[in-house]
Amino acid sequence: MAQAIAVAREGFTVAGELPIGAAVASGDDIVASAHTQERTQRRRRLVHAELLALIEADRGLPDLRLATTVEPCPMCFGAALNLGVKEIYFGLASPTDGITQAFTAQALAALPFYRPVEITGGVLIGQCRELFEQYCQSAPEGGMKDWALTIL
């Protein structure tokens, strides 16, 4: 999670991105990390931190774990499932679009590609919240800031 926070901080301070960072580990090694790049890549919508890190980690490695500053959305969760991630750790819950809101245990079990995944929220939540508070203090009014306020 420390690496996810570090890349989130970098994306926020260098590029003004939402402070969402993700890191993928295999065993004891961090094999990929990324921050959200919606501003950097001219407002593209599929450049979520988790998705970018998962794409980078897609090398057939065993025992993958994903850490992210914010609860993954259904798109990123689906990518994690397809890559075979066994554990997901996140800092801040996302009540409007996070996976725990989108999927019940019964709905997950009905997915044809579902593999049991351990999901743990609230990891280093204070550090994640602090980054989002800083973002909200400096972000322009609009959709991204409105969304960020929902997770604080």
Side-chain angles (χ1 to χ4, degrees):
M1 183 58 99
Q3 178 65 19
I5 292 170
V7 295
R9 183 174 286 115
E10 177 185 334
F12 168 59
T13 59
V14 173
E17 297 284 0
L18 278 163
I20 303 174
V24 180
S26 175
D28 293 333
D29 300 322
I30 295 173
V31 297
S33 62
H35 61 77
T36 294
Q37 297 183 24
E38 290 176 350
R39 290 182 60 140
T40 306
Q41 293 198 32
R42 302 194 188 268
R43 302 193 186 273
R44 287 182 55 206
R45 304 301 278 173
L46 300 180
V47 287
H48 293 196
E50 301 89 344
L51 187 58
L52 295 172
L54 291 165
I55 289 168
E56 184 182 338
D58 187 8
R59 295 177 272 177
L61 300 169
D63 301 319
L64 295 176
R65 296 180 316 282
L66 171 67
T68 180
T69 55
V70 177
E71 181 179 8
C73 71
M75 174 184 69
C76 294
F77 181 63
L81 286 177
N82 279 294
L83 191 58
V85 169
K86 296 181 187 313
E87 300 170 29
I88 297 175
Y89 301 91
F90 65 86
L92 294 167
S94 182
T96 60
D97 64 350
I99 56 172
T100 58
Q101 294 299 313
F103 294 109
T104 64
Q106 185 177 12
L108 280 174
L111 294 173
F113 54 85
Y114 178 71
R115 295 168 197 88
V117 176
E118 182 179 324
I119 302 170
T120 305
V123 179
L124 299 180
I125 192 171
Q127 292 178 44
C128 297
R129 181 174 285 121
E130 181 181 317
L131 280 173
F132 268 85
E133 287 170 347
Q134 291 171 7
Y135 171 83
C136 288
Q137 290 172 1
S138 62
E141 296 300 320
M144 289 300 177
K145 181 176 182 176
D146 292 345
W147 174 82
L149 288 167
T150 69
I151 66 173
L152 290 177

